[in-house]
Amino acid sequence: MIARKTFLATAALAALLTGTVAHAQRINAGDRTASATLPFAAHAVADFDTPWAITLLPDGRMLVTEKPGRIFLVTSEGRKTELGNVPEVAASGQNGMLDIAFAPDFETSSTVYFTYVEPDAGGSRLALSRAKLSLSQDRATLDDATVIWRQTPGGGGGQPGGIIAFDPQGKHLFLTVGDRMRPESAQDPAQARGKVLRLELDGGAPADNPFVGDGDVQAETWTTGHRNPYGLAFAPDGRLWQHEMGPRGGDELNLIEQGKNYGWPVVSNGDQYSGAKIPDHDTRPEFAAPAVYWNPVISPAGLAFYEGAMFPEWQGSALVGGLTVGSLIRIAFDAEGRPDEADRWDMGARIRDVAVAADGAVWVIEDDNPGRLLRLTPEN
Ligand SMILES: [Ca+2]
């Protein structure tokens, strides 16, 4: 009996230590270089005006958003149908039409969720909308679109965030909200800026969120202290990963855990664009440190976990687009679940988003006008 207790205590201690190691890990992957030798062939199937997000339908078709405000239904051969009933967006700089995702029950409900920056008297605000996707042979519309969440307070510049992810149970929607270029707002619990939110599928605040009872914004908040998050996805093991653009030299890959504060703008492994120093993460252990950071930066955009048959060696890896480095990046996880950049492939273009199809092909879009939609498959 005592031996068994000792064993359990040892196992618990080992798990704790493993967890501690995982949290303490701060790999700088910023000095990695891109390989011009690609382990895939890239086939361009369509062009878009500044495409921002791709999401795949169960039947292999896709929805592709364009930042200036359009959304297209696209076949795997590249045939495009523009969606009707798309709301007006405030398109400027980083703002405009952003992410789109299918509801967990899409096959029976036809429900989609999408984010955009909407015009507002106070400037603009990030909005999350829910609609029915109505598809016929040559027509596609967003019906009954309803905004179910709005950034409060409104206003701010670029850096909207806007990435949608559903938990593996399909019960909750997670949403990244950028700091809208108001850094101090990321630490203000009363402002829905610089946060990752956890919402009910109707936009309400779940009763078991960490800051329920502290006010409307707080009730929706899952984590705090983010800057410009353009990547959020659940790994096959159920953990939630996020990446965000830091200031000069401070891009981050973070393991997102309930109630934690990720430090922006108090700490960062980068510096201000002015050159002013920001204390590093290791000076303030009360803030969750990134598992991987990039100094110099990659400008991460889009995050998808690979599960599929075409690239068996990528199983469980995270794929990330790189804007400033013009690359597709693969992040691999070791036996303890610790991530590191494993591959960086030179795509010759700013990569804005990445998605994995049911057949194992990888789809990426280029941040440009025209920006291409590319299908990546193994050579031969
Ligand atoms: Ca941070």
Side-chain angles (χ1 to χ4, degrees):
M1 193 65 189
I2 290 169
R4 176 157 174 77
K5 271 187 180 167
T6 304
F7 169 77
L8 287 174
T10 306
L13 183 61
L16 188 66
L17 286 173
T18 303
T20 305
V21 168
H23 287 190
Q25 178 200 19
R26 279 160 221 154
I27 289 174
N28 181 14
D31 55 359
R32 313 291 168 79
T33 54
S35 170
T37 305
L38 307 182
F40 47 77
H43 307 275
V45 303
D47 286 342
F48 295 89
D49 176 0
T50 325
W52 207 91
I54 323 168
T55 190
L56 283 140
L57 276 157
D59 68 7
R61 289 184 292 178
M62 288 161 274
L63 293 177
V64 177
T65 68
E66 289 183 340
K67 193 169 61 178
R70 297 190 294 180
I71 305 175
F72 290 89
L73 176 69
V74 187
T75 68
S76 56
E77 294 78 34
R79 190 160 61 84
K80 298 159 61 175
T81 305
E82 185 175 352
L83 266 59
N85 297 346
V86 172
E88 181 191 356
V89 304
S92 174
Q94 293 189 30
N95 296 334
M97 184 64 71
L98 303 173
D99 202 12
I100 192 159
F102 298 106
D105 65 352
F106 172 78
E107 290 187 79
T108 54
S109 71
S110 301
T111 300
V112 297
Y113 292 82
F114 60 103
T115 55
Y116 57 103
V117 179
E118 63 176 5
D120 181 71
S124 68
R125 59 176 81 210
L126 179 66
L128 169 68
S129 187
R130 182 169 65 166
K132 299 282 185 188
L133 179 65
S134 172
L135 299 177
S136 59
Q137 194 60 34
D138 290 309
R139 196 170 144 73
T141 56
L142 287 178
D143 295 339
D144 305 323
T146 306
V147 173
I148 60 169
W149 176 89
R150 285 187 166 91
Q151 168 206 331
T152 51
Q159 302 183 175
I163 303 294
I164 299 164
F166 296 99
D167 62 18
Q169 298 75 31
K171 299 292 188 195
H172 297 102
L173 184 156
F174 291 76
L175 176 68
T176 69
V177 188
D179 73 357
R180 306 283 332 263
M181 300 183 77
R182 294 184 182 183
E184 68 289 344
S185 70
Q187 291 294 330
D188 181 350
Q191 297 195 44
R193 284 194 274 238
K195 310 291 188 298
V196 173
L197 309 181
R198 177 175 177 259
L199 304 174
E200 300 283 4
L201 299 184
D202 65 1
D208 57 347
N209 267 6
F211 307 111
V212 160
D214 295 344
D216 293 343
V217 169
Q218 289 92 326
E220 297 165 345
T221 298
W222 191 248
T223 58
T224 298
H226 302 289
R227 184 174 180 271
N228 190 17
Y230 287 148
L232 185 72
F234 280 88
D237 66 6
R239 293 187 296 171
L240 180 59
W241 292 91
Q242 172 260 23
H243 63 57
E244 63 185 71
M245 293 187 194
R248 192 165 72 187
D251 291 352
E252 300 183 345
L253 177 72
N254 291 306
L255 177 63
I256 295 296
E257 295 180 305
Q258 172 176 356
K260 288 192 173 178
N261 188 323
Y262 291 77
W264 176 253
V266 183
V267 290
S268 171
N269 289 1
D271 295 321
Q272 303 287 5
Y273 291 105
S274 66
K277 299 291 182 199
I278 304 172
D280 282 357
H281 260 284
D282 60 10
T283 66
R284 295 287 295 270
E286 69 270 35
F287 296 120
V292 178
Y293 69 96
W294 287 270
N295 187 349
V297 299
I298 56 171
S299 306
L303 174 62
F305 281 87
Y306 189 83
E307 292 178 275
M310 285 194 189
F311 299 98
E313 66 278 22
W314 297 357
Q315 208 68 27
S317 293
L319 300 174
V320 175
L323 292 170
T324 54
V325 291
S327 297
L328 179 65
I329 288 156
R330 182 172 75 92
I331 293 167
F333 295 80
D334 70 13
E336 280 74 49
R338 293 172 298 200
D340 191 8
E341 181 177 323
D343 288 299
R344 183 183 298 193
W345 298 295
D346 182 3
M347 301 296 288
R350 293 161 57 88
I351 301 301
R352 170 58 76 178
D353 197 15
V354 54
V356 178
D359 66 2
V362 173
W363 292 86
V364 301
I365 43 176
E366 298 172 342
D367 178 51
D368 204 348
N369 181 23
R372 298 180 300 170
L373 170 66
L374 302 171
R375 182 171 186 254
L376 312 183
T377 56
E379 303 255 33
N380 302 321

